[in-house]
């Protein structure tokens, strides 16, 4: 295999807190709060390799973890554990990407391009292409506020902006289903052009025919696990078969399966299944990074300086006198109180760090 | 310290983008209004007229303040206050209202509070220009003291950005914070010296402790400083204690703000 590795995922997991009430949410923020909040594992150890020029379709039922996976790969949300290596820039295309309804279509294009990091010269250059790609209706209304657009026009405009970026890895989340047939054709043609340039595409769609036309590799994800991986011809028939049997089940049954599978999981189990891989893949990424020592030092110094100066101000002692005779403005007993407060704060900090574990991108 | 540096670096790298996006934001705010951007000046102008009448005419009876008429005394501090209030309330909501938009792209989210800052600043320049004309009409003349404006302006921007970083992050996690902040700003208005002259008050003169406590307030430092600069009543380096207090508060906010910002930033989407 001489193709370059683009995305390497190892045992990606994502855990969500199921915060049902406001007080649960508040508790999760408190350092000493009850951490007994219901968890839901959206991803349970997903691994795959994607090489340059691959176009990979991801199929699965609703709530199977497809969008979560794409968001993790495009580095919008951090995984709970596991390792992700992405070589190159990613760009996620998704329906309902934010447009400002009060601004005109043209202004929205400029704004979005700016946010994606394009230079004004580049935007000028691509402006006509972007408008033309979005279709006739949009061309007519390009200087009208976007709030007057139909929902189809809005998503076409958003889609058009995003496909005119130049990422190495294109991630498409259901975006092609927004337009009518001619727009879909145009989108597919664009994707194929991307493919020919040797770019990598990751594609989520519920339309299996779309997956068939665009993807040469398919990953089937169900309940946060990879069920099957292979060519479209291998995976899709089995997936369709599965979909048929699943649809026969009652609604309550299906909801129960989803809920149970979201809870019946632990990282230790995952590690036991794969004992040969390094333990670091199975550890939660701690994000609660404490203040580093220099930062703590600076903060502590500033706090003391602030207290000292405030006391000097309130006692109307000139700063020079205060610095020369510190005990004159702060009696020794006060000093003890201040030291005690600092010790207590530091103690609480150390304790909470051990009490609570959370995850985040490093 | 690394975190603070990282956040500041993101601002400087994206300075152009911040500036251009701020213009669009400003455009979209008043897009549906007949008078458009005129409201940005009309609204504070009406406020100034009210305070001028109520405090200048009725309460102080046209008594001169620091040797100038009340309106000349009011303007430099009051427009700074208007700007700070609008910015703080805007910045605290900025992340919540914008995360949806930037959630699907890799955009340096730490620049969002700066965008609010930049768009409010456009407004401030206008107000400053107009009030300079009015101050001139009421006998304020340019002097070397005006150079201090640059120092206090820098103070204002640094403080507002640091505070914006803290409040915008907290608002994402706890939405109630914005409402709390709104009430807090109401209180701040009365204790920050935007319309009262604390040093010319008989009761406060008897209790110097009150003025000392007010002086700790960073808003007071900026507002009083702007006044000193334009009316030429003092130099900022004569009051080292206030200087130390202001900057230690600002730096602490900045360090704390960049810490919690980076801590929560990757999970902002989860909270919306």
């Amino acid at each position: 295999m001489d193709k370059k590795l683009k995305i390497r995922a190892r045992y990606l997991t994502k855990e969500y807190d199921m915060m049902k009430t406001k007080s649960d949410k508040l508790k999760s923020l408190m350092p000493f709060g009850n951490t007994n909040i219901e968890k839901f594992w959206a991803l349970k150890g997903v691994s795959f390799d994607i090489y340059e020029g691959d176009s990979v379709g991801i199929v699965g039922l609703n709530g199977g973890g497809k969008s979560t996976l794409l968001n993790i790969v495009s580095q919008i949300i951090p995984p709970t554990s596991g390792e992700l290596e992405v070589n190159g820039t990613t760009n996620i295309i998704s329906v309902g990407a934010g447009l400002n309804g009060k601004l005109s279509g043209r202004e929205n294009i400029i704004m979005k391009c700016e946010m994606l990091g394009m230079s004004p010269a580049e935007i000028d250059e691509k402006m006509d292409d972007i408008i033309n790609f979005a279709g006739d209706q949009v061309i007519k209304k390009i200087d009208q506020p976007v709030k007057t657009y139909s929902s189809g026009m809005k998503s076409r405009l958003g889609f058009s902006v995003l496909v005119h970026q130049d990422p190495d890895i294109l991630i498409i989340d259901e975006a092609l289903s927004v337009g009518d047939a001619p727009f879909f054709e145009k989108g597919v043609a664009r994707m194929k052009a991307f493919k020919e340039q040797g770019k990598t595409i990751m594609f989520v769609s519920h339309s299996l025919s779309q997956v068939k036309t665009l993807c040469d590799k398919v990953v089937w994800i169900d309940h946060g696990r990879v069920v099957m991986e292979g060519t479209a011809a291998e995976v899709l028939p089995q997936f369709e078969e599965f979909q048929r049997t699943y649809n026969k089940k009652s609604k309550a049954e299906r909801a129960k399966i989803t809920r149970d599978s979201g809870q019946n999981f632990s990282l230790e189990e995952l590690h036991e299944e794969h004992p040969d891989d390094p333990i670091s893949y199975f550890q939660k990424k701690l994000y609660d990074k404490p203040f580093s020592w220099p930062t703590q030092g600076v903060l502590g110094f500033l706090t003391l300086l602030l207290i000292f100066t405030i006391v000097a101000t309130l006692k109307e002692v000139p700063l020079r006198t205060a610095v020369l005779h510190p005990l004159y403005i702060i009696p020794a007993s006060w000093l003890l109180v201040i030291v005690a407060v600092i010790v207590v704060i530091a103690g609480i900090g150390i304790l909470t760090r051990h009490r609570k574990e959370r995850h985040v991108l490093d | 310290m690394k975190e603070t540096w990282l956040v500041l670096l993101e601002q400087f790298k994206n300075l152009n983008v911040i500036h251009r996006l701020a213009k669009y934001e400003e455009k979209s705010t008043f897009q549906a209004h007949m008078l458009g951007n005129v409201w940005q000046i009309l609204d504070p102008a009406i406020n100034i007229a009210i305070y001028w009448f109520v405090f200048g005419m009725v309460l102080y009876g046209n008594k001169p303040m620091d040797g100038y008429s009340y309106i000349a005394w009011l303007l430099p501090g009051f427009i700074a206050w208007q700007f700070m209030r609008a910015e703080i309330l805007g910045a605290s909501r900025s992340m919540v209202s914008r995360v949806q938009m930037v959630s699907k792209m890799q955009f340096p989210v730490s620049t969002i509070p700066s965008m609010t800052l930049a768009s409010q600043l456009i407004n401030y320049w206008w107000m400053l220009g107009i009030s300079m004309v009015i101050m001139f009409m009421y006998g304020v003349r340019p002097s070397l003291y005006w150079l201090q404006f640059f120092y206090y302006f820098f103070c204002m921007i640094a403080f507002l950005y640091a505070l914006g970083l803290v409040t915008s992050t907290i608002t994402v996690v706890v939405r109630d914070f914005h409402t709390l902040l709104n009430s807090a700003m109401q209180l701040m208005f009365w204790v920050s010296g935007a319309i009262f002259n604390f040093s010319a008050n008989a009761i406060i003169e008897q209790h110097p402790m009150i003025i000392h406590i007010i002086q700790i307030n960073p808003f007071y430092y900026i507002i009083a400083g702007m006044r000193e600069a334009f009316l030429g009543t003092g130099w900022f380096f004569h009051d080292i204690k206030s200087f130390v207090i202001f900057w230690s508060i600002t730096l602490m906010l900045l360090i704390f703000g960049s810490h919690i910002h980076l801590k929560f930033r990757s999970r902002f989407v989860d909270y919306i």
Side-chain angles (χ1 to χ4, degrees):
Chain A
M1 197 95 57
D2 55 345
K3 282 199 286 185
K4 260 201 328 224
L5 185 68
K6 278 288 174 188
I7 303 172
R8 180 169 171 272
R10 285 290 173 273
Y11 309 110
L12 291 178
T13 67
K14 179 73 188 174
E15 179 190 35
Y16 285 113
D17 293 340
M18 301 283 279
M19 285 177 271
K20 283 184 186 131
T21 57
K22 289 253 158 62
S23 65
D24 273 354
K25 194 173 163 184
L26 210 61
K27 268 186 218 159
S28 78
L29 293 170
M30 296 293 179
F32 284 114
N34 178 12
T35 47
N36 213 353
I37 291 166
E38 200 178 312
K39 306 283 189 197
F40 181 84
W41 289 90
L43 289 183
K44 304 176 208 164
V46 173
S47 310
F48 54 80
D49 290 314
I50 292 178
Y51 294 90
E52 198 175 22
D54 278 359
S55 65
V56 179
I58 294 175
V59 295
L61 299 169
N62 276 336
K66 298 183 304 274
S67 289
T68 309
L69 180 65
L70 288 197
N71 280 334
I72 288 177
V73 170
S74 47
Q75 287 144 345
I76 286 165
I77 56 172
T80 303
S81 74
E83 230 186 47
L84 176 72
E85 195 188 313
V86 178
N87 299 314
T89 53
T90 57
N91 193 346
I92 186 162
I93 297 181
S94 131
V95 197
L99 295 169
N100 186 335
K102 287 173 182 164
L103 294 174
S104 76
R106 196 184 295 277
E107 284 162 344
N108 263 299
I109 294 176
I110 299 177
M111 232 171 84
K112 265 206 110 151
C113 289
E114 292 254 15
M115 288 181 139
L116 289 162
M118 280 166 83
S119 69
E122 255 180 297
I123 296 172
D124 272 355
E125 202 186 295
K126 286 190 178 165
M127 180 59 93
D128 290 335
D129 282 346
I130 294 175
I131 298 173
N132 286 329
F133 189 87
D136 292 335
Q137 284 170 305
V138 178
I139 296 175
K140 260 184 252 155
K141 290 190 105 174
I142 194 67
D143 290 311
Q144 304 277 315
V146 166
K147 64 182 169 194
T148 64
Y149 286 26
S150 74
S151 61
M153 283 159 76
K154 268 186 221 165
S155 14
R156 264 180 288 169
L157 185 67
F159 184 77
S160 178
V161 170
L162 289 165
V163 292
H164 282 83
Q165 309 300 316
D166 206 24
D168 301 320
I169 302 162
L170 199 65
I171 296 170
I172 307 164
D173 190 358
E174 301 270 0
L176 271 181
S177 45
V178 293
D180 42 16
F183 186 73
F184 173 67
E185 303 274 285
K186 239 195 290 190
V188 171
R190 184 90 200 172
M191 295 302 125
K192 286 200 169 137
F194 268 117
K195 227 171 118 177
E196 267 151 39
Q197 287 168 28
K199 288 187 175 160
T200 310
I201 300 177
M202 267 181 100
F203 185 73
V204 161
S205 177
H206 282 292
S207 149
L208 295 184
S209 61
Q210 283 181 19
V211 175
K212 237 174 256 172
T213 41
L214 264 176
C215 306
D216 22 57
K217 203 177 147 193
V218 176
V219 179
W220 169 14
I221 289 181
D222 189 49
H223 291 125
R225 287 179 197 273
V226 177
V227 180
M228 224 180 140
E229 204 183 335
T231 62
E234 283 166 23
V235 178
L236 290 182
Q238 293 209 37
F239 174 62
E240 271 173 284
E241 179 60 37
F242 169 77
Q243 229 174 357
R244 237 172 278 131
T245 53
Y246 191 79
N247 280 342
K248 280 180 198 143
K249 287 180 184 156
S250 73
K251 214 174 173 185
E253 222 175 325
R254 276 185 266 173
K256 193 177 177 309
I257 292 174
T258 312
R259 225 192 41 243
D260 289 349
S261 82
Q263 283 158 13
N264 296 336
F265 176 77
S266 73
L267 286 168
E268 290 80 43
E269 279 170 33
L270 187 66
H271 189 208
E272 276 162 28
E273 286 169 37
H274 308 275
D276 301 335
D277 286 305
I279 182 88
S280 67
Y281 288 171
F282 306 100
Q283 278 161 348
K284 274 191 189 180
K285 287 180 197 245
L286 284 185
Y287 94 109
D288 239 349
K289 267 197 226 157
F291 284 111
S292 62
W293 283 113
T295 315
Q296 272 179 12
V298 172
L299 272 181
F301 172 74
L302 286 174
T303 318
L304 287 179
L305 187 68
L306 184 63
I307 294 171
F308 183 77
T309 325
I310 287 176
V311 173
T313 310
L314 295 183
K315 293 204 163 181
E316 293 185 64
V317 179
L319 204 58
R320 182 195 295 249
T321 328
V323 173
L324 291 177
H325 310 282
L327 287 181
Y328 178 64
I329 66 151
I330 303 181
S333 57
W334 274 50
L335 224 69
L336 277 176
V337 173
I338 291 170
V339 169
V341 168
I342 290 171
V343 167
V344 167
I345 290 172
I348 290 173
I350 292 165
L351 274 177
T352 48
R353 210 174 303 143
H354 290 305
R355 268 294 290 262
K356 219 146 191 211
E357 49 172 27
R358 281 193 194 143
H359 40 85
V360 92
L361 208 71
D362 15 353
Chain B
M1 292 323 282
K2 223 173 99 191
E3 295 166 322
T4 315
W5 183 242
L6 202 79
V7 166
L8 287 181
L9 212 64
E10 271 178 353
Q11 311 308 310
F12 290 116
K13 264 196 229 150
N14 294 294
L15 220 53
N16 280 325
V17 178
I18 292 172
H19 179 68
R20 282 193 296 265
L21 289 179
K23 268 193 188 158
Y24 283 111
E25 159 155 340
E26 213 222 344
K27 215 169 169 180
S28 83
T29 315
F30 290 96
Q31 193 265 345
H33 292 50
M34 292 275 199
L35 289 177
N37 292 357
V38 178
W39 276 112
Q40 299 206 1
I41 294 157
L42 214 55
D43 183 47
I46 292 169
N47 265 319
I48 289 173
I50 294 168
Y51 293 122
W52 186 10
F53 178 73
V54 173
F55 289 92
M57 309 281 188
V58 179
L59 198 69
Y60 286 123
N62 251 341
K63 194 173 70 180
M65 301 269 168
D66 296 336
Y68 293 95
S69 102
Y70 181 74
I71 181 77
W73 180 89
L74 176 75
L75 277 173
F78 189 76
I79 59 164
W81 163 257
Q82 281 271 330
F83 166 64
M84 288 194 282
R85 197 192 85 93
E87 205 284 325
I88 286 168
L89 294 181
S92 92
R93 273 196 58 74
S94 65
M95 214 77 93
V96 175
S97 53
R98 223 73 61 75
V99 155
Q100 206 59 265
M101 190 160 164
V102 295
S103 65
K104 291 285 174 181
M105 48 180 114
Q106 289 154 9
F107 182 76
V109 207
S110 67
T111 56
I112 289 179
S114 324
M115 258 173 233
T116 320
L117 190 64
S119 73
Q120 294 290 345
L121 208 53
I122 302 173
N123 195 3
Y124 177 69
W125 293 129
W126 275 104
M127 289 305 298
L128 188 67
I130 293 170
S131 48
M132 266 152 89
V133 173
I134 298 175
M135 282 191 285
F136 192 81
M137 283 169 11
Y138 281 88
V140 179
R141 294 289 176 269
S143 66
L144 211 56
Y145 287 102
W146 282 30
L147 286 179
Q148 287 182 94
F149 170 77
F150 297 104
Y151 165 72
Y152 283 112
F153 182 72
F154 177 67
C155 288
M156 189 159 76
I157 298 299
F159 175 68
L160 288 178
Y161 182 70
L163 192 65
L165 210 54
V166 176
T167 55
S168 61
T169 310
I170 297 178
T171 310
V172 171
V173 184
V174 187
R175 218 56 63 80
D176 318 35
F177 187 73
H178 179 73
T179 321
L180 178 73
L181 197 66
N182 209 338
S183 315
M185 291 307 282
Q186 297 275 353
L187 173 74
M188 268 307 162
F189 175 62
W190 299 103
V191 297
S192 61
I195 48 169
F196 280 129
N197 189 353
F198 288 115
S199 44
N201 186 306
I203 297 166
I204 288 176
E205 258 166 35
Q206 285 168 12
H207 303 278
M209 200 59 152
I210 297 174
I211 189 86
H212 290 322
I213 291 170
I214 286 166
Q215 269 171 350
I216 296 168
N217 177 356
F219 291 102
Y220 180 84
Y221 182 73
I222 293 167
I223 290 172
M226 285 290 184
R227 238 162 232 156
E228 271 183 7
F230 281 104
L231 305 182
T233 47
W235 286 101
F236 70 90
F237 43 77
H238 285 162
D239 193 355
I240 299 296
K241 277 189 278 192
S242 299
F243 175 91
V244 172
I245 290 171
F246 176 82
W247 281 106
S248 47
I249 290 175
T250 304
L251 282 179
M252 278 162 75
L253 279 175
L254 190 64
I255 294 171
F256 179 68
S258 37
H259 180 76
I260 62 168
H261 174 82
L262 290 181
K263 180 165 161 173
F264 282 105
R265 120 149 125 193
S266 52
R267 305 189 309 154
F268 277 160
V269 186
D270 291 352
Y271 278 104
I272 300 295

